[in-house]
Every structure is written in structure tokens, then in C-alpha cells.
Amino acid sequence: MSIISKTQILKANYQRFIDSDIWYSFKKSPITVVSAAVTFLFFFVTIFAPFIAPHDPFDLASIDLMDASLPPAWFLDGETRFLLGTDDQGRDILSTIIYGSRISLFVGFVSVIFSLILGVGLGLISGYVGGRLDAFIMRVADVQLSFPAILIALLIDGLARSLLPRELHDEVALYVLVFAIGISGWVQYARTVRGQTLVEKGKEYVQAARVIGIRQWTILLRHILPNVTGPVLVIATIHLAIAIITEATLSFLGVGVPPTTPSLGTLIRVGNDFLFSGEWWITIFPGIALVLLVLAVNLLGDWLRDALNPKLR
Amino acid sequence: MFTFILKRLLQSVVVMLTVALIAFSLFRYVGDPINNMVGQDTSLEERAELRERLGLNDPFFLQFYRFAADASVGEFGFSYQHRRPVKELIAERLPATLELALVSAILALAIGIPMGVYTALRRNGFLSRTFMTISLIGVSLPTFLIGILLILLFGVILRWLPTFGRGDIIEIGWWSTGFLTASGLKSLIMPSITLALFQMTLIMRLVRAEMLEVLRADFVKFARARGLPTRSVHFRHALKNTLVPVITITGLQLGSIIAFAIITESVFQWPGMGLLFIQAIGEVDIPVMAAYLVLIAFFFVVINMVVDILYFVVDPRLRIDKALANGQ
């Protein structure tokens, strides 16, 4: 018997990936490659923000009011130290954007994971258990779906704001936001997973697993769950774009993250006040960053949806 | 049909009661209502007396019943912030939001549907590709950013349009309208475009997808085979059949427009309900929050119900399916 080495397995897996339809359709679509690169760049830059950002916008010692409201470097009175100019307190716009994207991506990412766990869990239970529980969960989903997600997130955030004392609220604002956006987005996951679960439930392998006496939870998590996750990935990607927009919108409205840890939305809100005095760069550059990020994630999601859809092949 | 409406009505009542319960809990348990009403120098006895008189010592369900009964006639008490009845505040702000929402909805339909039809008929034309790209950007641009960009371009750089408020308004009874003055109309342009853009792209994509589907259907092929003029095939056969789902979605989107108006209103300082609500959240002005919550839920429930019933009326297939299912 020949022994297959680890490298051979890796090589085979790599070859399988290179030959796959997904990789092919990825290569064939330049827009997708670009948006994947942009998304990756955002993740990379924000994760390593302290090493990449040219300045630390939260280090009060490094901020000089003499540098306040400088235009971008390519303007006459701009300085090369501040590539995209500075805000009214002399903070480097590029650095605040990098740190802001960090908050935006963090909130977006964590709330997507929150929605995903909640939605997939409820969808699995709803589809597998059926009966009254199923009817109840789906009814709630129907009702929630008839309200826009952003309104629900806004309401939860508003409720938390009125329930918690102000000092405490600023501390936990980020988590409240994650909770609000997370709750507002679970329905899509639950509906899709429920449908898939209903299909898988009737298949032979599940019946076989039941016959040999595997516990219900094990069947649900080890047998059914892996078979219903395909569409979830697509929903999650598109949801990431929506979650980032929702976070930015709430922060713009002044009910999102506190100004001490500004996200892209907060930066745009703050910069908005300077629009009329001609300092457009304070608000426009964070805006461009936000649009780039959301557009890239959206395009990636669109591609993934088409690539995983067997009907379109 | 009758049972369907009845079921739908029952569901709406349950939703409204749930929302009312949330609003009521907010009212009753966030902070002390008495503290929010009286000044520092009110004595403990006076407070206790007020508490008793207002019925705050009554059982929960009795209090909730009173709240719901008051809410159903639009009575939400006094705003903590403005020291005025919430009813008055809302009535003052309602026309602004409704006018904005109406104009936006019309804009979205009047531009979205033709764009959708065009992109479906000339799938690979240059203009179609442009429209599709614009729509993708429209989906990725957050509403508030569109507003800011418009303000920057038309308000700050070109100075053509006013950047905030409603301009001059004319009072007709209790309704205040901006439709009748030049400055009112000018003020309406940017907010309504901002609010309409997202819905417009949505409607355009929907019409395009439906149209492509219908154009492949047999009855369209048959109409072509009969030698009907292309115009007639496209508009009298295809378009007519795409409009059913479009009407439904648009109806449902009407609620979203009112909800998204919160964002537009705060960008343009439009004195509508959304702005009132956002300010109420900032100030923890609970009666206003509760009233807005109940009101917006009411809008949504009514819109959803009307759309569901309309769907039933407009699409005869649904009725026949139901009848067949019942074995008639």
C-alpha cells in the first residue's frame, strides 16, 4: 500500500480548487477580482491599522491644532504629511478613515455573525421540529420582514438608549449596535435554512441516521447543518454590505457608535457640519471609503450568488 | 376571500397590540413618569396624590388598556421635551413627511418603470448598461451620502437649491403644504430625489427581471406569431403582466419610504415626523417615541393589509387556485 504524503494531498486539493468552476468564473470576471482585492485590502489595512495608519488620530499628544483643516496634499496649501488633509482638530483624515473602517467592518462583521447564528439556528429548529414552533417562528419572521431592517435596528438602538443610563450606554454602544443590526437581519437566514432543512429532513441519510439511533441534536448539527450552508454564504456576503450601510446610517443619525470611537458613519456626520464652510474633504473621503467598501462587498456577493447557482452554469 | 381578510385582520391586530405593549412598557418603566412631569419642588405627598390620580397604581392590564384606548384615538400625552401634547406635534409634522413620501414614490415609479422596461427590451444596449451600472451604485450608496453629495453639488458649489427646511409653506386648515410656493417646491427637489433614488433602482431592477421573464412566456411568443406589432406585444401584453408584482412591491415600499424618510429628513433638516423621532431618541423623549412607534406600525400594518387584499383582487389566478384547493 502506497503512503500518500501530506504534500500530495495538499497538491491534489490545490489542483481541485484550480480546476473548479468557482475559480474559473472568478478568473473570468475582472470586476470580481478587483472587488475581491479591494475587500481584502480593507480587511488587511484595518486589521493592521496601528502599523499602517500614518498617524494615530486618538493620540492627543500627536495632534496639533496648527494643522487643523488642511486640504488634501495635492492642493496648494496642503501638506504631504497629511495625504487626504486634516479635520477641524488637526487629525489626519487618512488615519481616521483607516481607524473608522476598522469600527465599521468590526460592527458589520460581528453583527452578520450574530444574525447568521441566530437565523441558521432558528431556521434549523423551525424546519426540523415543525409543528407549532415552526408556525410561531415563521409568523414572527413574516411580521419582522414587513418592517424595514433599518427601522428595527433604529428602534432597538433607541430602546437601549432610553433604558440604559448615558455613561453606561456609551461604553456598551458598540455591542448594542451589533445586537440591533444582528436582530434586524436574521429572517433571511432563517427562511432559507428552514426551506433547505425541510428538503434534507426527508432524505435517506437522515432517516438512516435516525434508525441507527443517533441523537437528534447530532443529526441536526453534524448531518443536516453541513448540507444547508451553501446559500447561507451568499446571504452573509450581501448582508455584510447591508450591515455596514446600516451601521453607517445609524452612526450618521447620531444613534450609533459614540464619537469617541468614530466609525465611517460618524466621520461623515461630523464632517457634514463643515460642508458649508468649504472643507468638503472631511466628509467626502470617508464617504468614498464607505462606498468603495460596500460596492466591493456587493459585487463579490453578486458574483458568489451567480457562481453557486447551478441554474446559471 | 372573507376568511382570508378576517385572518389578515386578526394578525394585524396582534401586531398592533404587540407594538402597543412595547410602547407602553417604554412609557411606564423607563424612568419615573411622575419625575418627568413635575418640577423639583413638588412634595412627596403631592407626587403620591398625582400618582394615584393618574392611575399609576392600578394593575398592569388596566393601565395597558387605558394606554391602548388613548392611543387608538391618537392621545399620547405630553412630550417631555416640548411640553406640548404629542398629538399636536405629530399633526404638525405629518404633512411634511407625507408630502415628501408622496413625491418620492411618484418619482420612483415614473422613472423606475420606464427605465426597467427599456433595459429589458434593449438588454445589451449602451444605455441599458449605463442604467444597470447606475442602479448598482444606487444600491451601494447609502441614502444619507446621496443627500450630502446633492447638497455639496447643488447647494454649496452651484447654489441653485436650498439645502434645508421646507421653504415657505401655506396652511390649509391643519394641513401645511409646500406645493403651492416656488420656494416650497424648490426645497422639495433634493430631499425627494434622495429618498426616491433607492426605490427607483429597486423598481427598475424588478420591472426588468419581470419583463425578461414575461417576454419568454408562451403568450408573448404567440402574440408575436400572430403578427401583432412589436409595440403592442411589448406594452399591451408584456408590460401589463409585469405590473402585478410591481404594484405589490411598490405598495410595500411605501412604508419603507416613510421609514427611510427619517434619514432624508435629518440630512435636509426637513421638519417631518422622522426628524421629530430622531430628536426624541436623542433626548429620550418617551411619549414622542412611543407615539411614533405606534403610528409607523399602524402605517405598515395598513399598507401590508391593503396590498395583500389588492393582490388577491388584481390577480385572478390566486382566487382560482384557492377555489380549486377547496374542491369547488
Side-chain angles (χ1 to χ4, degrees):
Chain A
M1 203 176 119
S2 67
I3 297 162
I4 305 170
S5 72
K6 264 214 171 116
T7 43
Q8 270 174 313
I9 294 179
L10 271 178
K11 245 185 197 163
N13 277 344
Y14 177 70
Q15 198 55 45
R16 249 180 69 192
F17 176 68
I18 290 294
D19 291 340
S20 68
D21 294 344
I22 301 247
W23 180 246
Y24 179 78
S25 80
F26 182 76
K27 266 193 318 192
K28 280 288 153 194
S29 155
I31 292 177
T32 312
V33 177
V34 172
S35 40
V38 171
T39 313
F40 177 76
L41 189 75
F42 261 99
F43 271 97
F44 182 81
V45 168
T46 52
I47 288 170
F48 298 104
F51 307 104
I52 292 173
H55 301 264
D56 182 357
F58 305 113
D59 178 15
L60 288 174
S62 75
I63 300 172
D64 189 352
L65 268 180
M66 294 299 286
D67 297 330
S69 305
L70 289 173
W74 58 88
F75 282 84
L76 259 181
D77 26 351
E79 286 185 33
T80 44
R81 279 189 302 148
F82 306 108
L83 187 60
L84 299 182
T86 56
D87 69 1
D88 61 314
Q89 293 169 32
R91 287 185 295 203
D92 177 38
I93 296 286
L94 181 63
S95 307
T96 52
I97 288 176
I98 291 176
Y99 278 92
S101 310
R102 199 179 192 187
I103 305 275
S104 291
L105 264 179
F106 171 79
V107 172
F109 204 73
V110 180
S111 34
V112 164
I113 291 183
F114 184 68
S115 286
L116 193 147
I117 293 173
L118 189 69
V120 171
L122 285 175
L124 270 179
I125 293 172
S126 194
Y128 194 70
V129 177
R132 291 200 155 201
L133 187 65
D134 177 33
F136 177 72
I137 293 176
M138 285 302 120
R139 206 39 351 139
V140 173
D142 281 347
V143 170
Q144 181 170 334
L145 208 59
S146 60
F147 295 89
I150 191 146
L151 191 64
I152 291 167
L154 190 62
L155 289 179
I156 296 176
D157 206 79
L159 284 183
R161 197 163 286 265
S162 46
L163 287 173
L164 301 170
R166 186 149 284 183
E167 307 79 49
L168 185 67
H169 183 270
D170 273 0
E171 258 171 57
V172 295
L174 219 54
Y175 304 99
V176 170
L177 200 58
V178 165
F179 178 75
I181 299 175
I183 288 279
S184 69
W186 65 277
V187 177
Q188 303 288 348
Y189 299 94
R191 285 195 154 190
T192 316
V193 168
R194 174 181 172 267
Q196 289 280 106
T197 308
L198 283 176
V199 173
E200 296 296 322
K201 192 167 94 171
K203 289 193 176 163
E204 281 92 348
Y205 74 93
V206 176
Q207 287 172 359
R210 263 197 214 153
V211 169
I212 58 174
I214 297 177
R215 278 185 309 153
Q216 300 282 353
W217 280 109
T218 321
I219 296 179
L220 204 55
L221 296 179
R222 302 281 301 269
H223 298 248
I224 295 183
L225 181 62
N227 286 305
V228 297
T229 45
V232 169
L233 191 65
V234 177
I235 303 178
T237 317
I238 294 170
H239 188 202
L240 179 63
I242 296 174
I244 292 172
I245 288 191
T246 310
E247 185 279 325
T249 306
L250 292 183
S251 295
F252 176 77
L253 292 176
V255 294
V257 296
T260 42
T261 49
S263 73
L264 289 176
T266 325
L267 292 176
I268 296 169
R269 171 192 176 79
V270 172
N272 199 19
D273 298 339
F274 299 98
L275 208 56
F276 296 99
S277 50
E279 282 128 12
W280 52 270
W281 57 90
I282 303 179
T283 179
I284 294 302
F285 287 127
I288 292 175
L290 180 66
V291 173
L292 263 183
L293 176 62
V294 171
L295 195 62
V297 176
N298 258 337
L299 285 168
L300 215 54
D302 270 359
W303 163 77
L304 200 63
R305 186 183 52 207
D306 292 347
L308 292 180
N309 189 348
K311 272 191 208 157
L312 290 177
R313 271 188 204 147
Chain B
M1 178 78 184
F2 183 68
T3 42
F4 170 75
I5 293 178
L6 207 67
K7 248 190 205 163
R8 212 50 202 74
L9 212 60
L10 204 70
Q11 194 190 333
S12 311
V13 170
V14 172
V15 172
M16 280 314 293
L17 278 179
T18 317
V19 173
L21 192 65
I22 296 174
F24 169 70
S25 318
L26 203 65
F27 228 129
R28 184 64 189 82
Y29 298 108
V30 177
D32 183 4
I34 300 286
N35 270 348
N36 288 317
M37 268 181 250
V38 298
Q40 291 279 331
D41 49 344
T42 316
S43 71
L44 279 174
E45 292 82 53
E46 279 171 317
R47 281 172 194 244
E49 201 250 343
L50 190 61
R51 185 177 292 274
E52 188 59 41
R53 202 167 38 137
L54 290 173
L56 290 173
N57 293 328
D58 291 345
F60 179 83
F61 281 105
L62 191 61
Q63 287 193 40
F64 178 56
Y65 169 75
R66 262 205 299 262
F67 173 81
D70 281 349
S72 60
V73 291
E75 205 64 63
F76 288 95
F78 277 74
S79 152
Y80 298 158
Q81 177 71 15
H82 302 268
R83 305 273 160 198
R84 288 175 53 199
V86 177
K87 201 178 176 178
E88 266 180 47
L89 284 172
I90 298 258
E92 226 173 69
R93 304 291 193 108
L94 192 67
T97 298
L98 288 186
E99 283 187 356
L100 180 62
L102 183 75
V103 174
S104 302
I106 293 173
L107 262 182
L109 280 175
I111 302 175
I113 293 181
M115 267 168 92
V117 171
Y118 183 85
T119 45
L121 293 181
R122 300 239 159 74
R123 278 184 74 177
N124 296 316
F126 172 72
L127 208 55
S128 296
R129 283 168 188 275
T130 320
F131 283 163
M132 289 308 281
T133 316
I134 291 174
S135 85
L136 191 72
I137 295 172
V139 172
S140 299
L141 262 178
T143 314
F144 64 92
L145 211 53
I146 297 172
I148 291 177
L149 290 177
L150 286 179
I151 288 182
L152 181 65
L153 185 60
F154 295 105
V156 178
I157 298 177
L158 295 172
R159 295 182 184 283
W160 286 353
L161 297 168
T163 54
F164 66 91
R166 282 182 88 188
D168 298 328
I169 49 172
I170 292 176
E171 309 269 345
I172 303 172
W174 61 276
W175 187 276
S176 64
T177 180
F179 286 157
L180 298 175
T181 62
S183 80
L185 287 173
K186 263 171 103 177
S187 309
L188 198 59
I189 296 176
M190 285 203 290
S192 57
I193 290 178
T194 307
L195 191 52
L197 215 58
F198 182 76
Q199 314 294 337
M200 203 190 310
T201 54
L202 199 79
I203 290 174
M204 178 195 133
R205 287 182 157 233
L206 185 77
V207 170
R208 176 175 178 274
E210 288 291 330
M211 195 75 177
L212 286 175
E213 192 99 339
V214 171
L215 282 175
R216 275 201 296 266
D218 286 340
F219 72 89
V220 171
K221 279 184 203 151
F222 185 65
R224 283 217 175 101
R226 277 197 296 167
L228 292 179
T230 327
R231 244 184 112 77
S232 165
V233 175
H234 285 165
F235 293 100
R236 298 195 47 188
H237 289 75
L239 183 62
K240 222 169 150 185
N241 279 288
T242 57
L243 286 183
V244 175
V246 172
I247 289 170
T248 335
I249 301 278
T250 316
L252 294 177
Q253 288 302 317
L254 209 63
S256 303
I257 289 183
I258 293 174
F260 275 96
I262 298 175
I263 304 163
T264 313
E265 284 175 9
S266 59
V267 175
F268 291 95
Q269 294 296 304
W270 187 262
M273 288 191 307
L275 194 62
L276 185 73
F277 177 61
I278 276 294
Q279 284 162 352
I281 288 185
E283 305 288 341
V284 197
D285 191 346
I286 289 161
V288 175
M289 282 171 72
Y292 184 82
L293 196 67
V294 172
L295 194 67
I296 205 97
F298 182 69
F299 273 139
F300 268 90
V301 162
V302 168
I303 289 170
N304 279 329
M305 209 166 67
V306 169
V307 167
D308 268 9
I309 293 170
L310 260 187
Y311 202 52
F312 215 70
V313 174
V314 169
D315 196 339
R317 282 171 297 182
L318 273 175
R319 265 172 290 165
I320 293 166
D321 285 350
K322 265 266 160 61
L324 283 177
N326 292 337
Q328 285 161 354

